Amino acid sequence: MNNSTLISTVFRKEVLAMAAYKVANAQGYIKLDAMENPYSWPEEIQNQWLEHLKDCQLNRYPDPEAVQLVNTIRAINQLPEQFDILLGNGSDEIIQLLLMALPQGASVLAPVPGFVMYKQISDCLGLNYISVPVLADGFDLDLPAMLSAIAKAQPLLIFLAYPNNPTSNLFSADAMHQVIKAAPGLVVVDEAYAPFANASFIDQLGQYDNLLIMRTVSKLGLAGLRLGYVMGQPALIEQLNKIRLPYNINCLTQMTADFALVNRAFFTEQTEKICAQRAYVFNELQQMEGILPYPSAANFILFKVPHNKATDIFLAIKQQGVLIKNMAGQGGLLSDCLRVTIGKPDENKAFLSALRHGLAELNL
Ligand SMILES: *Cc1c(COP(=O)(O)O)cnc(C)c1O
C-alpha cells in the first residue's frame, strides 16, 4: 500500500478535508493577536503560588472531579446549588465534548462571523454545521433568519458567543431569549469574554432547561493553563461527564487555577486597566482617516480598513514588529477587517503608531 492510499484509507473524509487550526509564530513580536491578558502576576502572588505548587503530587493522578476547583468556580460565579459544573481542558474541549455527544449527522447552528472552533470541530465530526450571518450593520443577531434556520434545520446545538468573537459585540438579549425559546435542543451561551463585558446569561439558567453557560479563564489571564467550564442542569452535565476523559484537568492546572481565582483581586485590577485602554485605543482608531473601529465589550477591537487593503495593512504593521490578526481570509463581513487585542499601554501605542505609519506608507 502506498502512502497516499494508506492516508486515504485510514482517515475519515471529514478529517482529510480539514485544515489544521494555524497559530502564527509570534516570537519577537509585540503580541496582540490572541486576546491574551498582557500582564504577569505581582511578585508576591507569584511567590505564594510557587510555594503552593510544592504540594502538587506529580506521581499521583489528579482529582478526577477537581472538587476544590469546582467549589471555587461555583463560589465566584455565585452559581446556585441546583446547577452543576463540568471542567474542560480549555472551553475548546467543552465545545468538543458537546459536539461529540450529538447524534451522527445532527445539525449545529451559530451566527457568522463567529468563533472558528464551533465549525472546525463540527466539520471534523461530520455534523451539519449551519452559519447564519449576523446583521451587517452592528453585527446583532438576524432574528428572523435565526428563527427560520432553526425551524428548518432543527439544530440540536446552538452556540451564541456573548460577547461574540470576532465582532466583539453583545447580541441583543431579547433576540437571545427568543433563540433559546425556539431551539429544539441545547443553547450554549459562550461567555469567554465575561471579564470585560458586564453582562451574562448565568441568571437565566433557572428559566430554561436547555441553556448552558460556558466560560474560560483564558481571557481573564490564564490562557496557558487551559481551563474552561460549562454550567447548567445536572441532567445535562451528567451526560457530558460520561464522555469527558477522567483526568482531563491536570493537577498543576487544578492547583494554579484555584490559587489564582481565590486571589483574583489582581485580575480585577488588570481587567480594569485593559478596559480603560480599550476606550483609549477605540478613540484613537476612530480619529484615523479611513479606519472604522467597532464598539467592543471584549478585550479586543475589530476595525475596518479601506477596501481590499486589510492584508497590506496587516503586513505593514507586522513589519514594524506588532502582530495583530488579519481577518480578511474569513471573507464576508470581515473581508476588510483586522482585529487587535488590547495590550499594555506601551504596546497599544506601538500598535497605533505602526498602523499610522503603515497607512502613510501605503498612501491611504
Ligand atoms: C477564546 C475563545 C474560546 C476558547 O477559550 P479556551 O478556554 O482558551 O479554549 C471560546 N470561545 C470564544 C468565543 C473564544 O473567543
Side-chain angles (χ1 to χ4, degrees):
M1 204 191 283
N2 70 30
N3 204 38
S4 72
T5 316
L6 176 69
I7 300 289
S8 61
T9 314
V10 169
F11 295 98
R12 281 184 287 116
K13 66 180 191 304
E14 291 85 1
V15 176
L16 295 171
M18 282 172 75
Y21 183 83
K22 278 213 191 71
V23 177
N25 180 5
Q27 199 157 26
Y29 290 95
I30 293 177
K31 192 172 186 313
L32 301 177
D33 68 330
M35 284 78 119
E36 291 147 332
N37 174 339
Y39 296 104
S40 47
W41 293 9
E43 198 178 321
E44 186 194 317
I45 297 275
Q46 190 141 16
N47 288 336
Q48 285 176 30
W49 165 61
L50 288 171
E51 201 51 45
H52 252 72
L53 278 188
K54 285 187 188 154
D55 298 333
C56 232
Q57 288 190 288
L58 293 175
N59 56 319
R60 301 288 177 197
Y61 282 103
D63 175 0
E65 310 291 337
V67 172
Q68 191 176 337
L69 177 56
V70 165
N71 286 339
T72 300
I73 289 173
R74 179 183 291 284
I76 64 171
N77 288 289
Q78 296 172 331
L79 185 72
E81 280 299 324
Q82 73 204 85
F83 303 110
D84 274 354
I85 302 175
L86 178 114
L87 306 186
N89 188 344
S91 37
D92 287 347
E93 189 189 34
I94 292 169
I95 297 167
Q96 188 183 48
L97 286 177
L98 284 159
L99 292 167
M100 281 186 348
L102 300 182
Q104 270 179 15
S107 293
V108 176
L109 185 146
V112 65
F115 184 49
V116 293
M117 293 313 290
Y118 307 150
K119 181 172 191 310
Q120 176 90 354
I121 300 170
S122 296
D123 286 351
C124 168
L125 294 168
L127 297 167
N128 177 35
Y129 189 84
I130 298 158
S131 314
V132 177
V134 298
L135 296 171
D137 180 15
F139 303 135
D140 201 354
L141 291 177
D142 183 342
L143 186 59
M146 289 289 287
L147 294 178
S148 107
I150 290 168
K152 196 165 145 222
Q154 296 288 306
L156 298 184
L157 188 53
I158 298 175
F159 288 105
L160 297 171
Y162 187 74
N164 190 31
N165 171 13
T167 57
S168 77
N169 59 308
L170 291 161
F171 297 133
S172 102
D174 183 55
M176 303 251 299
H177 280 284
Q178 299 214 42
V179 167
I180 298 166
K181 282 180 196 152
L186 302 179
V187 177
V188 178
V189 174
D190 179 349
E191 300 189 339
Y193 298 95
F196 312 96
N198 220 347
S200 173
F201 266 67
I202 282 199
D203 291 347
Q204 306 304 317
L205 274 177
Q207 299 273 357
Y208 303 108
D209 287 346
N210 62 336
L211 176 62
L212 290 167
I213 308 287
M214 186 169 70
R215 289 189 163 191
T216 173
V217 299
S218 294
K219 285 31 190 256
L220 179 68
L222 297 167
L225 277 188
R226 309 307 299 130
L227 179 72
Y229 51 96
V230 64
M231 303 172 279
Q233 300 284 344
L236 296 175
I237 300 294
E238 183 191 347
Q239 299 303 319
L240 295 173
N241 206 24
K242 293 181 192 171
I243 48 176
R244 177 181 68 84
L245 294 174
Y247 304 112
N248 64 330
I249 313 298
N250 72 71
C251 65
L252 296 171
T253 295
Q254 288 191 30
M255 198 171 250
T256 305
D258 187 64
F259 172 83
L261 293 174
V262 166
N263 293 284
R264 70 193 172 286
F266 69 91
F267 280 135
T268 310
E269 233 169 82
Q270 295 176 347
T271 303
E272 281 167 7
K273 279 196 235 174
I274 292 166
C275 288
Q277 280 291 302
R278 173 179 73 194
Y280 166 76
V281 174
F282 182 84
N283 241 313
E284 293 289 309
L285 288 173
Q286 217 171 19
Q287 281 164 41
M288 285 185 210
E289 184 115 16
I291 301 294
L292 177 68
Y294 297 103
S296 170
N299 63 340
F300 61 90
I301 294 177
L302 182 77
F303 59 99
K304 197 169 178 174
V305 301
H307 187 49
N308 274 336
K309 295 294 175 193
T311 298
D312 289 348
I313 296 171
F314 166 78
L315 290 173
I317 294 171
K318 191 172 171 190
Q319 184 77 32
Q320 297 168 80
V322 182
L323 184 67
I324 64 169
K325 179 94 173 175
N326 183 5
M327 308 306 292
Q330 292 189 34
L333 291 175
L334 299 176
S335 53
D336 293 320
C337 286
L338 300 174
R339 187 189 72 193
V340 62
T341 301
I342 304 300
K344 294 179 184 168
D346 58 331
E347 296 175 322
N348 301 330
K349 284 217 170 80
F351 154 69
L352 290 164
S353 140
L355 173 57
R356 275 192 203 98
H357 278 112
L359 291 172
E361 227 172 63
L362 294 160
N363 296 313
L364 294 169

